[in-house]
Amino acid sequence: MSLSNIVCIIAYDGSKFCGFSHQNHTNGLLSVADFFELTLQKIGIKTHIIGSGRTDKNVHATNQVINFHAHLFMSLEKMQKLLNDRLYPFILIKQIFIADSSFHARFSAKVRFYRYIFTQEEILPFYNTYIAKVKHGDITLLQTALCEFIGTHDFTLFKKNGSETKDSIRTILKTHIFPAKIHNIPCFVVHIGANGFLRSQVRIMLKACFEFSLGRITLQNLRRQIQNDVTLETNLCVRELAPACGLYLHRILYK
């Protein structure tokens, strides 16, 4: 019996894991990948999963794509139910299907979209792990800053130290911000699409945008950081991260 290339579209609560990928030092928390692989073992499947991208601790996903290779000895419907019963309540398989043997969740991906949900309102503790409370200035200033990232750039100054990548060049295809009410809380949602992202890139980009909207950095300084025209040692370079809890891996495109 040949191995099937099984693809799942999953959602997960990032606050319950140390991140998507396996890590050596986790303070007792499993990664999403570790938990999923252990759950597969419980139904008789020993394999490793591949994700479309890594997410940090406390970063969520609404449509993360994973694939794994296994012998298919039950229907996909039964597999989905068995897994969801055991993954509950922090991970949900939304879709499951068989892909061509060449499909790779990470390397076949063309565009990745993230969303960031934030507010300045006082919010109940129950929502603190899903909506970021962020101080910011005028929303039009935020959009102005976000538009500066559109295009192909070397994002060396917008990645977390320790990133394991061949290069730091990425293409931002789209940025957009819009108001939304979530659990009756007035919020804003940032939508960002790119051909790929570096480690913590979105959160550093957003922090820089928030700093600009508050008048703490100039648009010229933001442009210089995007152009790698500043050094990490200067106070012109924003290296802090926006809170992880508001960030969601939203959608992956393969065509």
Side-chain angles (χ1 to χ4, degrees):
M1 182 186 299
S2 60
L3 292 172
S4 297
N5 191 6
I6 302 170
V7 181
C8 298
I9 300 176
I10 66 173
Y12 54 80
D13 180 346
S15 68
K16 308 303 180 184
F17 302 97
C18 65
F20 177 80
S21 300
H22 172 74
Q23 299 175 42
N24 292 325
H25 305 289
T26 62
N27 294 322
L29 287 176
L30 288 174
S31 68
V32 173
D34 288 338
F35 187 73
F36 202 99
E37 288 172 5
L38 288 171
T39 305
L40 283 170
Q41 289 182 32
K42 290 178 181 178
I43 65 168
I45 299 174
K46 189 172 182 179
T47 188
H48 294 291
I49 69 169
I50 300 164
S52 65
R54 299 180 176 185
T55 53
D56 293 338
K57 180 182 177 182
N58 294 322
V59 175
H60 315 289
T62 52
N63 292 287
Q64 168 75 283
V65 179
I66 66 169
N67 74 292
F68 58 90
H69 297 85
H71 295 295
L72 193 60
F73 54 86
M74 67 179 78
S75 70
L76 290 178
E77 292 78 9
K78 182 177 181 181
M79 182 184 291
Q80 183 175 3
K81 184 179 187 313
L82 286 174
L83 289 172
N84 275 340
D85 286 346
R86 291 160 175 78
L87 293 167
Y88 179 85
F90 304 125
I91 301 177
L92 173 70
I93 299 174
K94 300 170 71 174
Q95 295 181 44
I96 186 169
F97 54 91
I98 302 295
D100 184 85
S101 60
S102 64
F103 177 84
H104 189 286
R106 179 184 174 189
F107 296 132
S108 299
K110 303 299 183 186
V111 184
R112 295 166 174 87
F113 290 98
Y114 276 89
R115 282 189 171 178
Y116 192 78
I117 303 172
F118 65 97
T119 186
Q120 291 193 115
E121 303 291 327
E122 295 295 336
I123 54 178
L124 292 170
F126 320 112
Y127 305 132
N128 285 337
T129 53
Y130 308 107
I131 301 172
K133 187 176 179 183
V134 178
K135 187 175 182 181
H136 61 82
D138 191 271
I139 293 301
T140 58
L141 294 178
L142 278 175
Q143 183 64 69
T144 296
L146 284 166
C147 286
E148 292 294 324
F149 291 97
I150 295 175
T152 301
H153 306 283
D154 181 344
F155 285 99
T156 295
L157 298 181
F158 289 90
K159 68 178 181 180
K160 194 172 181 180
N161 292 336
S163 300
E164 297 178 3
T165 53
K166 292 181 179 179
D167 64 69
S168 299
I169 297 173
R170 298 292 184 272
T171 301
I172 305 296
L173 302 168
K174 178 180 181 180
T175 64
H176 180 56
I177 186 168
F178 58 91
K181 271 204 169 183
I182 300 170
H183 298 292
N184 211 34
I185 302 167
C187 299
F188 287 96
V189 180
V190 174
H191 187 64
I192 300 177
N195 64 346
F197 293 96
L198 302 167
R199 185 182 179 193
S200 301
Q201 178 185 341
V202 176
R203 292 170 61 196
I204 299 175
M205 287 169 54
L206 288 167
K207 180 65 175 180
C209 292
F210 292 137
E211 292 293 281
F212 168 71
S213 75
L214 291 166
R216 293 172 179 167
I217 63 170
T218 66
L219 196 60
Q220 181 183 9
N221 287 343
L222 177 61
R223 288 170 178 165
R224 287 181 64 188
Q225 184 168 343
I226 294 171
Q227 295 163 4
N228 288 298
D229 192 30
V230 292
T231 63
L232 293 175
E233 291 75 23
T234 69
N235 58 8
L236 302 178
C237 191
V238 177
R239 296 295 294 161
E240 295 179 9
L241 282 68
C245 59
L247 188 59
Y248 295 75
L249 179 57
H250 174 64
R251 190 181 179 195
I252 314 295
L253 298 182
Y254 288 92
K255 293 182 180 180

